[in-house]
Amino acid sequence: MSACRVPRRLASHRRTALFAAGAALAALTLSACGEGTSGGSEQTQFVEGKDGVERVAKKDRRPAPELSGKTTRGEQLNVADYKGKVVVLNVWGSWCAPCIAEAPNFAKVANETKAKGVQFIGINTRDSRESQAVSFEEQHKAPYPSLFDPTGKLMLRFPKGSLNPQAIPSTIAVDRDGKIAARSIGPLGEDELRKMVQPLIDEK
């Protein structure tokens, strides 16, 4: 199953903010309709494996951007506070069929790996109301928080040429030093997700 298209109809009170994001956000939206493209020409060190996961050698990794704000439940969250843990960022929307399909896998692996120093964090995007996201989280028993990013601004903070999110869903793994280590575009199964995260758990 391929990555989602962004819904055509957005709530009118979000349109102004969406347009303010400019051409960069438009480019990201177009990319989200595809099967997943490379992260850009500036960083050539990352390699896509047979499992579809692109990885970066430890020496070539770049710092993750500042990602902070309110969660879907109105609490403040800063990804930087989890430095020292492996952080798995999942970009999703409640309207996105592949996100619905992969949600049970993320819940299961998040519970399995929590004691191993792994923190899952969602980035909810293109939902116009927090209640839509919360309903999704409750239905799929997501055991981790999600930043509420209705206009996609957080997605645009990833460095150009890095393993940035280019589709919905996208999953990005950040190592214990706060650096971008791996990316997968499109929905992930349980085993695929474990294989993405385990090498970072094992890193010394």
Side-chain angles (χ1 to χ4, degrees):
M1 189 179 295
S2 62
C4 275
R5 289 181 178 273
V6 175
R8 293 178 181 176
R9 298 184 64 184
L10 296 172
S12 60
H13 66 285
R14 299 290 183 187
R15 286 177 180 158
T16 301
L18 180 62
F19 292 146
L25 182 56
L28 177 60
T29 302
L30 290 173
S31 297
C33 299
E35 296 293 324
T37 57
S38 70
S41 59
E42 290 191 2
Q43 177 172 309
T44 58
Q45 295 92 346
F46 57 84
V47 177
E48 182 173 350
K50 292 181 180 179
D51 55 1
V53 176
E54 294 166 291
R55 296 178 174 85
V56 185
K58 193 169 185 178
K59 63 182 178 64
D60 296 322
R61 293 173 190 166
R62 300 172 65 178
E66 190 273 331
L67 298 170
S68 63
K70 286 190 175 182
T71 68
T72 56
R73 297 171 188 267
E75 299 173 349
Q76 284 296 132
L77 185 149
N78 190 333
V79 173
D81 291 342
Y82 295 97
K83 192 171 182 179
K85 293 180 178 285
V86 174
V87 176
V88 180
L89 301 169
N90 178 242
V91 180
W92 63 278
S94 67
W95 45 268
C96 165
C99 302
I100 294 169
E102 72 174 5
N105 306 326
F106 276 75
K108 186 171 183 178
V109 177
N111 283 323
E112 287 178 359
T113 57
K114 184 176 181 179
K116 299 178 181 178
V118 180
Q119 176 64 51
F120 278 64
I121 297 172
I123 300 177
N124 170 258
T125 191
R126 306 299 193 273
D127 278 319
S128 59
R129 298 187 305 276
E130 291 94 330
S131 60
Q132 295 170 315
V134 170
S135 177
F136 180 99
E137 291 170 335
E138 290 177 347
Q139 180 181 354
H140 298 287
K141 298 178 180 170
Y144 52 86
S146 285
L147 288 162
F148 185 59
D149 185 31
T151 61
K153 290 181 179 179
L154 294 180
M155 297 168 71
L156 294 175
R157 292 183 183 177
F158 284 79
K160 182 179 179 182
S162 71
L163 292 180
N164 53 326
Q166 295 191 351
I168 303 168
S170 286
T171 303
I172 293 172
V174 177
D175 67 19
R176 290 188 178 92
D177 296 322
K179 295 183 178 180
I180 303 169
R183 175 187 68 181
S184 179
I185 291 176
L188 286 171
E190 284 181 37
D191 289 343
E192 294 169 320
L193 186 52
R194 290 188 189 100
K195 289 177 182 176
M196 183 180 188
V197 175
Q198 190 61 48
L200 298 177
I201 294 174
D202 295 339
E203 278 187 354
K204 304 299 182 184

